[in-house]
Amino acid sequence: MQTLQLNIENSLPTDWQRATLVGRVWLPAVQGPAVVVIRDGVVVDCTAQFPTLSLLLDSEAPLETVRTLEGVPLGRIESLLANSGEAFDPDQPRLLAPVDLQVIKAAGVTFAASMIERVIEEKAGGDAQRAEQIRALVHEVIGDNLRQLKPGSAEAMRLKQVLIDQGMWSQYLEVGIGPDAEIFTKAPVLAAVGSGSAVGIHPGSSWNNPEPEVVLAVDSQGRIQGAALGNDVNLRDFEGRSALLLSKAKDNNASCALGPFIRLFDEHFSLDDVRRCEVSLRIEGRGGYVLNGQSAMSQISRDPEDLAAQALNANHQYPDGFVLFLGTLFAPTDDRDHPGQGFTHHEGDVVSITSPALGGLHNRVTTSDQALPWVFGVGALMRNLAGRGLL
């Protein structure tokens, strides 16, 4: 198969020359990471001022800081991207996930319209006539436009009761249309991989899929500073067996991808642009297999600001900030191997998640035991930074 290669066209926002982009790069010379900003097409190392990206995002005014701080040029963005694909030179800088000490969180069941439709289909047992009867009941309660349903509202509670009365209770109903969002820890600190790296599927899984999502970058005070793209790799068979297997379904070696950069909010990009984001998914596999999909943030049922507030509040703090996957509307269901079995990954698939405002995140699929082991944790980061005189 063709080697995965990164470049400006497939990786950066369409208006990248005016975007405020921050991220992380691996520096072979010091065997450690650098915090970088992209300025006029040049990758600038600002680790001397901000040893971690979490510190930069937690500064009083990150946007102004990024625009005024001095740093060490590492070369052109074209060269960094070219060396961040599969055929990289280990002696040259390459991309890392744009997150370090921030906790990696994710919100689930955030698109009520798709959730309700899936519950209808499941409970109807494949009977189209039964599904139409249930759907008619739903529409009688709330009308035709499910995406206007506000979780936790009186209208949502009436719909929930209708579904329960029809024998359609599901644990996902509570978090999908109830007052409390599902927010869970996707991966440990420093465990995410960046664009160009392999993503891992548990070798024991036979039904799995990517989840293309927008990811918020939130500081310790709860301020949303920007956004990136993410792949919340999911094992549908593990989670389907039991909700108590959620952590095993979500958190495996290389099962979380983020990148390519965090785009900070500025005069050209805001939270309203996040709310309008269109996220595209393309999967290319061996034998010419291609799958395309879309996820529109305009259809999310819980506002991104509300989700961030449900994660960080008086009941739960994050002193180093956090990133938050916002969920996806897209779930690939087209049969790939056998009729009725839906989609699942094959080893070697290339997953591309793109959005005009955020760029592109590209990863090839392997199994989690074959992906590069995660060995650079918090202790290693602290030792490395201290050894470089940065702490």
Side-chain angles (χ1 to χ4, degrees), residues 270-300:
S270 68
L271 189 58
D272 282 338
D273 292 300
V274 169
R275 294 180 174 111
R276 292 188 290 265
C277 268
E278 298 278 340
V279 180
S280 298
L281 170 70
R282 182 176 177 85
I283 302 171
E284 299 181 39
R286 293 187 174 91
Y289 176 83
V290 174
L291 184 147
N292 291 298
Q294 294 282 133
S295 184
M297 284 294 296
S298 61
Q299 296 191 50
I300 198 168

PDB file of all heavy atoms in Angstrom, residues 270-300:
ATOM      1  N   SER A 270     -13.155  30.828  16.325  1.00  0.00           N
ATOM      2  CA  SER A 270     -13.784  30.959  17.637  1.00  0.00           C
ATOM      3  C   SER A 270     -14.584  29.704  17.969  1.00  0.00           C
ATOM      4  O   SER A 270     -14.695  28.775  17.155  1.00  0.00           O
ATOM      5  CB  SER A 270     -14.722  32.175  17.650  1.00  0.00           C
ATOM      6  OG  SER A 270     -15.846  31.926  16.800  1.00  0.00           O
ATOM      7  N   LEU A 271     -15.174  29.708  19.155  1.00  0.00           N
ATOM      8  CA  LEU A 271     -16.022  28.588  19.550  1.00  0.00           C
ATOM      9  C   LEU A 271     -17.215  28.448  18.615  1.00  0.00           C
ATOM     10  O   LEU A 271     -17.693  27.332  18.372  1.00  0.00           O
ATOM     11  CB  LEU A 271     -16.479  28.767  20.997  1.00  0.00           C
ATOM     12  CG  LEU A 271     -17.195  27.575  21.640  1.00  0.00           C
ATOM     13  CD1 LEU A 271     -16.334  26.318  21.618  1.00  0.00           C
ATOM     14  CD2 LEU A 271     -17.603  27.906  23.074  1.00  0.00           C
ATOM     15  N   ASP A 272     -17.695  29.541  18.075  1.00  0.00           N
ATOM     16  CA  ASP A 272     -18.794  29.453  17.101  1.00  0.00           C
ATOM     17  C   ASP A 272     -18.355  28.708  15.849  1.00  0.00           C
ATOM     18  O   ASP A 272     -19.154  27.985  15.238  1.00  0.00           O
ATOM     19  CB  ASP A 272     -19.291  30.852  16.731  1.00  0.00           C
ATOM     20  CG  ASP A 272     -20.191  31.446  17.802  1.00  0.00           C
ATOM     21  OD1 ASP A 272     -20.756  30.673  18.598  1.00  0.00           O
ATOM     22  OD2 ASP A 272     -20.314  32.684  17.849  1.00  0.00           O
ATOM     23  N   ASP A 273     -17.095  28.843  15.463  1.00  0.00           N
ATOM     24  CA  ASP A 273     -16.591  28.077  14.318  1.00  0.00           C
ATOM     25  C   ASP A 273     -16.527  26.592  14.652  1.00  0.00           C
ATOM     26  O   ASP A 273     -16.778  25.739  13.788  1.00  0.00           O
ATOM     27  CB  ASP A 273     -15.205  28.589  13.913  1.00  0.00           C
ATOM     28  CG  ASP A 273     -15.257  29.984  13.329  1.00  0.00           C
ATOM     29  OD1 ASP A 273     -15.932  30.175  12.304  1.00  0.00           O
ATOM     30  OD2 ASP A 273     -14.635  30.889  13.914  1.00  0.00           O
ATOM     31  N   VAL A 274     -16.198  26.262  15.905  1.00  0.00           N
ATOM     32  CA  VAL A 274     -16.243  24.862  16.342  1.00  0.00           C
ATOM     33  C   VAL A 274     -17.664  24.330  16.210  1.00  0.00           C
ATOM     34  O   VAL A 274     -17.891  23.214  15.726  1.00  0.00           O
ATOM     35  CB  VAL A 274     -15.742  24.731  17.790  1.00  0.00           C
ATOM     36  CG1 VAL A 274     -16.039  23.330  18.342  1.00  0.00           C
ATOM     37  CG2 VAL A 274     -14.248  25.015  17.876  1.00  0.00           C
ATOM     38  N   ARG A 275     -18.631  25.124  16.634  1.00  0.00           N
ATOM     39  CA  ARG A 275     -20.035  24.699  16.569  1.00  0.00           C
ATOM     40  C   ARG A 275     -20.495  24.450  15.129  1.00  0.00           C
ATOM     41  O   ARG A 275     -21.442  23.709  14.904  1.00  0.00           O
ATOM     42  CB  ARG A 275     -20.928  25.749  17.225  1.00  0.00           C
ATOM     43  CG  ARG A 275     -20.715  25.918  18.735  1.00  0.00           C
ATOM     44  CD  ARG A 275     -21.639  26.965  19.303  1.00  0.00           C
ATOM     45  NE  ARG A 275     -21.545  27.048  20.756  1.00  0.00           N
ATOM     46  CZ  ARG A 275     -21.029  28.078  21.425  1.00  0.00           C
ATOM     47  NH1 ARG A 275     -20.551  29.144  20.765  1.00  0.00           N
ATOM     48  NH2 ARG A 275     -20.989  28.063  22.747  1.00  0.00           N
ATOM     49  N   ARG A 276     -19.814  25.084  14.177  1.00  0.00           N
ATOM     50  CA  ARG A 276     -20.193  24.927  12.772  1.00  0.00           C
ATOM     51  C   ARG A 276     -19.310  23.932  12.019  1.00  0.00           C
ATOM     52  O   ARG A 276     -19.493  23.717  10.823  1.00  0.00           O
ATOM     53  CB  ARG A 276     -20.124  26.281  12.067  1.00  0.00           C
ATOM     54  CG  ARG A 276     -21.165  27.290  12.516  1.00  0.00           C
ATOM     55  CD  ARG A 276     -21.135  28.510  11.620  1.00  0.00           C
ATOM     56  NE  ARG A 276     -19.924  29.309  11.800  1.00  0.00           N
ATOM     57  CZ  ARG A 276     -19.854  30.370  12.605  1.00  0.00           C
ATOM     58  NH1 ARG A 276     -20.914  30.743  13.296  1.00  0.00           N
ATOM     59  NH2 ARG A 276     -18.721  31.050  12.705  1.00  0.00           N
ATOM     60  N   CYS A 277     -18.346  23.322  12.698  1.00  0.00           N
ATOM     61  CA  CYS A 277     -17.386  22.450  12.023  1.00  0.00           C
ATOM     62  C   CYS A 277     -18.058  21.274  11.311  1.00  0.00           C
ATOM     63  O   CYS A 277     -18.964  20.638  11.847  1.00  0.00           O
ATOM     64  CB  CYS A 277     -16.369  21.895  13.029  1.00  0.00           C
ATOM     65  SG  CYS A 277     -14.873  22.877  13.203  1.00  0.00           S
ATOM     66  N   GLU A 278     -17.593  20.997  10.116  1.00  0.00           N
ATOM     67  CA  GLU A 278     -17.949  19.779   9.383  1.00  0.00           C
ATOM     68  C   GLU A 278     -16.707  18.886   9.391  1.00  0.00           C
ATOM     69  O   GLU A 278     -15.646  19.290   8.927  1.00  0.00           O
ATOM     70  CB  GLU A 278     -18.355  20.109   7.946  1.00  0.00           C
ATOM     71  CG  GLU A 278     -19.584  21.000   7.814  1.00  0.00           C
ATOM     72  CD  GLU A 278     -20.876  20.218   7.933  1.00  0.00           C
ATOM     73  OE1 GLU A 278     -20.825  18.980   7.734  1.00  0.00           O
ATOM     74  OE2 GLU A 278     -21.932  20.832   8.198  1.00  0.00           O
ATOM     75  N   VAL A 279     -16.855  17.695   9.932  1.00  0.00           N
ATOM     76  CA  VAL A 279     -15.724  16.766  10.035  1.00  0.00           C
ATOM     77  C   VAL A 279     -15.930  15.625   9.053  1.00  0.00           C
ATOM     78  O   VAL A 279     -16.986  14.980   9.053  1.00  0.00           O
ATOM     79  CB  VAL A 279     -15.591  16.225  11.469  1.00  0.00           C
ATOM     80  CG1 VAL A 279     -14.412  15.268  11.565  1.00  0.00           C
ATOM     81  CG2 VAL A 279     -15.420  17.374  12.462  1.00  0.00           C
ATOM     82  N   SER A 280     -14.937  15.389   8.214  1.00  0.00           N
ATOM     83  CA  SER A 280     -15.015  14.312   7.214  1.00  0.00           C
ATOM     84  C   SER A 280     -14.108  13.155   7.619  1.00  0.00           C
ATOM     85  O   SER A 280     -13.034  13.357   8.192  1.00  0.00           O
ATOM     86  CB  SER A 280     -14.583  14.826   5.838  1.00  0.00           C
ATOM     87  OG  SER A 280     -15.442  15.866   5.396  1.00  0.00           O
ATOM     88  N   LEU A 281     -14.569  11.960   7.296  1.00  0.00           N
ATOM     89  CA  LEU A 281     -13.808  10.737   7.568  1.00  0.00           C
ATOM     90  C   LEU A 281     -13.616   9.979   6.262  1.00  0.00           C
ATOM     91  O   LEU A 281     -14.557   9.815   5.481  1.00  0.00           O
ATOM     92  CB  LEU A 281     -14.557   9.852   8.563  1.00  0.00           C
ATOM     93  CG  LEU A 281     -14.010   8.433   8.769  1.00  0.00           C
ATOM     94  CD1 LEU A 281     -12.685   8.477   9.503  1.00  0.00           C
ATOM     95  CD2 LEU A 281     -15.013   7.575   9.532  1.00  0.00           C
ATOM     96  N   ARG A 282     -12.401   9.528   6.022  1.00  0.00           N
ATOM     97  CA  ARG A 282     -12.127   8.672   4.863  1.00  0.00           C
ATOM     98  C   ARG A 282     -11.251   7.518   5.322  1.00  0.00           C
ATOM     99  O   ARG A 282     -10.224   7.727   5.980  1.00  0.00           O
ATOM    100  CB  ARG A 282     -11.433   9.448   3.749  1.00  0.00           C
ATOM    101  CG  ARG A 282     -11.167   8.611   2.483  1.00  0.00           C
ATOM    102  CD  ARG A 282     -10.576   9.473   1.386  1.00  0.00           C
ATOM    103  NE  ARG A 282     -10.234   8.722   0.189  1.00  0.00           N
ATOM    104  CZ  ARG A 282     -11.070   8.422  -0.807  1.00  0.00           C
ATOM    105  NH1 ARG A 282     -12.339   8.852  -0.726  1.00  0.00           N
ATOM    106  NH2 ARG A 282     -10.683   7.740  -1.859  1.00  0.00           N
ATOM    107  N   ILE A 283     -11.686   6.310   5.004  1.00  0.00           N
ATOM    108  CA  ILE A 283     -10.928   5.104   5.331  1.00  0.00           C
ATOM    109  C   ILE A 283     -10.530   4.431   4.022  1.00  0.00           C
ATOM    110  O   ILE A 283     -11.380   4.150   3.184  1.00  0.00           O
ATOM    111  CB  ILE A 283     -11.749   4.129   6.184  1.00  0.00           C
ATOM    112  CG1 ILE A 283     -12.206   4.811   7.484  1.00  0.00           C
ATOM    113  CG2 ILE A 283     -10.936   2.873   6.507  1.00  0.00           C
ATOM    114  CD1 ILE A 283     -13.192   3.996   8.283  1.00  0.00           C
ATOM    115  N   GLU A 284      -9.239   4.209   3.844  1.00  0.00           N
ATOM    116  CA  GLU A 284      -8.735   3.520   2.655  1.00  0.00           C
ATOM    117  C   GLU A 284      -8.049   2.240   3.092  1.00  0.00           C
ATOM    118  O   GLU A 284      -7.140   2.273   3.925  1.00  0.00           O
ATOM    119  CB  GLU A 284      -7.765   4.423   1.887  1.00  0.00           C
ATOM    120  CG  GLU A 284      -8.401   5.711   1.387  1.00  0.00           C
ATOM    121  CD  GLU A 284      -7.413   6.563   0.618  1.00  0.00           C
ATOM    122  OE1 GLU A 284      -6.603   5.994  -0.144  1.00  0.00           O
ATOM    123  OE2 GLU A 284      -7.437   7.793   0.787  1.00  0.00           O
ATOM    124  N   GLY A 285      -8.505   1.117   2.522  1.00  0.00           N
ATOM    125  CA  GLY A 285      -7.934  -0.169   2.877  1.00  0.00           C
ATOM    126  C   GLY A 285      -7.379  -0.907   1.686  1.00  0.00           C
ATOM    127  O   GLY A 285      -7.439  -0.434   0.538  1.00  0.00           O
ATOM    128  N   ARG A 286      -6.843  -2.056   1.951  1.00  0.00           N
ATOM    129  CA  ARG A 286      -6.272  -2.877   0.883  1.00  0.00           C
ATOM    130  C   ARG A 286      -7.353  -3.284  -0.111  1.00  0.00           C
ATOM    131  O   ARG A 286      -8.531  -3.392   0.229  1.00  0.00           O
ATOM    132  CB  ARG A 286      -5.597  -4.114   1.475  1.00  0.00           C
ATOM    133  CG  ARG A 286      -4.353  -3.795   2.307  1.00  0.00           C
ATOM    134  CD  ARG A 286      -3.632  -5.078   2.733  1.00  0.00           C
ATOM    135  NE  ARG A 286      -2.361  -4.786   3.408  1.00  0.00           N
ATOM    136  CZ  ARG A 286      -2.206  -4.630   4.703  1.00  0.00           C
ATOM    137  NH1 ARG A 286      -3.272  -4.741   5.507  1.00  0.00           N
ATOM    138  NH2 ARG A 286      -1.026  -4.360   5.221  1.00  0.00           N
ATOM    139  N   GLY A 287      -6.926  -3.523  -1.342  1.00  0.00           N
ATOM    140  CA  GLY A 287      -7.862  -3.961  -2.370  1.00  0.00           C
ATOM    141  C   GLY A 287      -8.770  -2.863  -2.888  1.00  0.00           C
ATOM    142  O   GLY A 287      -9.814  -3.135  -3.473  1.00  0.00           O
ATOM    143  N   GLY A 288      -8.398  -1.605  -2.643  1.00  0.00           N
ATOM    144  CA  GLY A 288      -9.194  -0.488  -3.143  1.00  0.00           C
ATOM    145  C   GLY A 288     -10.391  -0.129  -2.291  1.00  0.00           C
ATOM    146  O   GLY A 288     -11.247   0.658  -2.714  1.00  0.00           O
ATOM    147  N   TYR A 289     -10.462  -0.690  -1.085  1.00  0.00           N
ATOM    148  CA  TYR A 289     -11.607  -0.373  -0.214  1.00  0.00           C
ATOM    149  C   TYR A 289     -11.574   1.097   0.193  1.00  0.00           C
ATOM    150  O   TYR A 289     -10.531   1.626   0.605  1.00  0.00           O
ATOM    151  CB  TYR A 289     -11.578  -1.243   1.040  1.00  0.00           C
ATOM    152  CG  TYR A 289     -12.685  -0.900   2.022  1.00  0.00           C
ATOM    153  CD1 TYR A 289     -13.959  -1.431   1.859  1.00  0.00           C
ATOM    154  CD2 TYR A 289     -12.446  -0.029   3.088  1.00  0.00           C
ATOM    155  CE1 TYR A 289     -14.976  -1.113   2.743  1.00  0.00           C
ATOM    156  CE2 TYR A 289     -13.459   0.285   3.974  1.00  0.00           C
ATOM    157  CZ  TYR A 289     -14.734  -0.259   3.799  1.00  0.00           C
ATOM    158  OH  TYR A 289     -15.740   0.072   4.666  1.00  0.00           O
ATOM    159  N   VAL A 290     -12.732   1.770   0.109  1.00  0.00           N
ATOM    160  CA  VAL A 290     -12.858   3.167   0.525  1.00  0.00           C
ATOM    161  C   VAL A 290     -14.192   3.349   1.235  1.00  0.00           C
ATOM    162  O   VAL A 290     -15.230   2.850   0.775  1.00  0.00           O
ATOM    163  CB  VAL A 290     -12.781   4.137  -0.679  1.00  0.00           C
ATOM    164  CG1 VAL A 290     -13.055   5.574  -0.223  1.00  0.00           C
ATOM    165  CG2 VAL A 290     -11.412   4.060  -1.350  1.00  0.00           C
ATOM    166  N   LEU A 291     -14.184   4.051   2.350  1.00  0.00           N
ATOM    167  CA  LEU A 291     -15.398   4.433   3.057  1.00  0.00           C
ATOM    168  C   LEU A 291     -15.300   5.909   3.393  1.00  0.00           C
ATOM    169  O   LEU A 291     -14.288   6.373   3.901  1.00  0.00           O
ATOM    170  CB  LEU A 291     -15.588   3.604   4.323  1.00  0.00           C
ATOM    171  CG  LEU A 291     -16.885   3.844   5.123  1.00  0.00           C
ATOM    172  CD1 LEU A 291     -17.364   2.554   5.780  1.00  0.00           C
ATOM    173  CD2 LEU A 291     -16.683   4.921   6.199  1.00  0.00           C
ATOM    174  N   ASN A 292     -16.360   6.655   3.096  1.00  0.00           N
ATOM    175  CA  ASN A 292     -16.415   8.080   3.411  1.00  0.00           C
ATOM    176  C   ASN A 292     -17.576   8.362   4.343  1.00  0.00           C
ATOM    177  O   ASN A 292     -18.626   7.697   4.267  1.00  0.00           O
ATOM    178  CB  ASN A 292     -16.584   8.911   2.137  1.00  0.00           C
ATOM    179  CG  ASN A 292     -15.354   8.884   1.259  1.00  0.00           C
ATOM    180  OD1 ASN A 292     -14.284   9.325   1.657  1.00  0.00           O
ATOM    181  ND2 ASN A 292     -15.490   8.346   0.048  1.00  0.00           N
ATOM    182  N   GLY A 293     -17.397   9.347   5.216  1.00  0.00           N
ATOM    183  CA  GLY A 293     -18.471   9.727   6.126  1.00  0.00           C
ATOM    184  C   GLY A 293     -18.327  11.173   6.561  1.00  0.00           C
ATOM    185  O   GLY A 293     -17.297  11.810   6.335  1.00  0.00           O
ATOM    186  N   GLN A 294     -19.390  11.689   7.182  1.00  0.00           N
ATOM    187  CA  GLN A 294     -19.414  13.079   7.641  1.00  0.00           C
ATOM    188  C   GLN A 294     -19.981  13.144   9.054  1.00  0.00           C
ATOM    189  O   GLN A 294     -20.803  12.315   9.445  1.00  0.00           O
ATOM    190  CB  GLN A 294     -20.298  13.928   6.725  1.00  0.00           C
ATOM    191  CG  GLN A 294     -19.790  14.093   5.305  1.00  0.00           C
ATOM    192  CD  GLN A 294     -18.689  15.122   5.217  1.00  0.00           C
ATOM    193  OE1 GLN A 294     -17.649  14.884   4.596  1.00  0.00           O
ATOM    194  NE2 GLN A 294     -18.878  16.259   5.840  1.00  0.00           N
ATOM    195  N   SER A 295     -19.547  14.133   9.809  1.00  0.00           N
ATOM    196  CA  SER A 295     -20.127  14.429  11.109  1.00  0.00           C
ATOM    197  C   SER A 295     -20.228  15.942  11.223  1.00  0.00           C
ATOM    198  O   SER A 295     -19.219  16.643  11.088  1.00  0.00           O
ATOM    199  CB  SER A 295     -19.257  13.866  12.239  1.00  0.00           C
ATOM    200  OG  SER A 295     -19.870  14.071  13.500  1.00  0.00           O
ATOM    201  N   ALA A 296     -21.445  16.439  11.439  1.00  0.00           N
ATOM    202  CA  ALA A 296     -21.682  17.883  11.486  1.00  0.00           C
ATOM    203  C   ALA A 296     -21.876  18.321  12.931  1.00  0.00           C
ATOM    204  O   ALA A 296     -22.815  17.886  13.601  1.00  0.00           O
ATOM    205  CB  ALA A 296     -22.903  18.251  10.650  1.00  0.00           C
ATOM    206  N   MET A 297     -21.009  19.193  13.411  1.00  0.00           N
ATOM    207  CA  MET A 297     -21.126  19.681  14.779  1.00  0.00           C
ATOM    208  C   MET A 297     -22.426  20.452  15.001  1.00  0.00           C
ATOM    209  O   MET A 297     -22.878  20.599  16.139  1.00  0.00           O
ATOM    210  CB  MET A 297     -19.924  20.564  15.113  1.00  0.00           C
ATOM    211  CG  MET A 297     -18.640  19.797  15.387  1.00  0.00           C
ATOM    212  SD  MET A 297     -18.755  18.793  16.896  1.00  0.00           S
ATOM    213  CE  MET A 297     -18.948  20.083  18.113  1.00  0.00           C
ATOM    214  N   SER A 298     -23.021  20.946  13.938  1.00  0.00           N
ATOM    215  CA  SER A 298     -24.284  21.679  14.078  1.00  0.00           C
ATOM    216  C   SER A 298     -25.400  20.800  14.615  1.00  0.00           C
ATOM    217  O   SER A 298     -26.416  21.299  15.098  1.00  0.00           O
ATOM    218  CB  SER A 298     -24.705  22.262  12.726  1.00  0.00           C
ATOM    219  OG  SER A 298     -24.919  21.232  11.773  1.00  0.00           O
ATOM    220  N   GLN A 299     -25.222  19.469  14.565  1.00  0.00           N
ATOM    221  CA  GLN A 299     -26.252  18.557  15.028  1.00  0.00           C
ATOM    222  C   GLN A 299     -26.003  18.034  16.444  1.00  0.00           C
ATOM    223  O   GLN A 299     -26.754  17.190  16.930  1.00  0.00           O
ATOM    224  CB  GLN A 299     -26.374  17.379  14.052  1.00  0.00           C
ATOM    225  CG  GLN A 299     -26.841  17.798  12.674  1.00  0.00           C
ATOM    226  CD  GLN A 299     -27.203  16.610  11.808  1.00  0.00           C
ATOM    227  OE1 GLN A 299     -27.947  15.718  12.210  1.00  0.00           O
ATOM    228  NE2 GLN A 299     -26.684  16.579  10.590  1.00  0.00           N
ATOM    229  N   ILE A 300     -24.972  18.541  17.090  1.00  0.00           N
ATOM    230  CA  ILE A 300     -24.697  18.082  18.446  1.00  0.00           C
ATOM    231  C   ILE A 300     -25.825  18.529  19.382  1.00  0.00           C
ATOM    232  O   ILE A 300     -26.379  19.622  19.232  1.00  0.00           O
ATOM    233  CB  ILE A 300     -23.328  18.599  18.934  1.00  0.00           C
ATOM    234  CG1 ILE A 300     -22.827  17.788  20.132  1.00  0.00           C
ATOM    235  CG2 ILE A 300     -23.361  20.091  19.253  1.00  0.00           C
ATOM    236  CD1 ILE A 300     -21.361  18.036  20.482  1.00  0.00           C
TER     237      ILE A 300
END
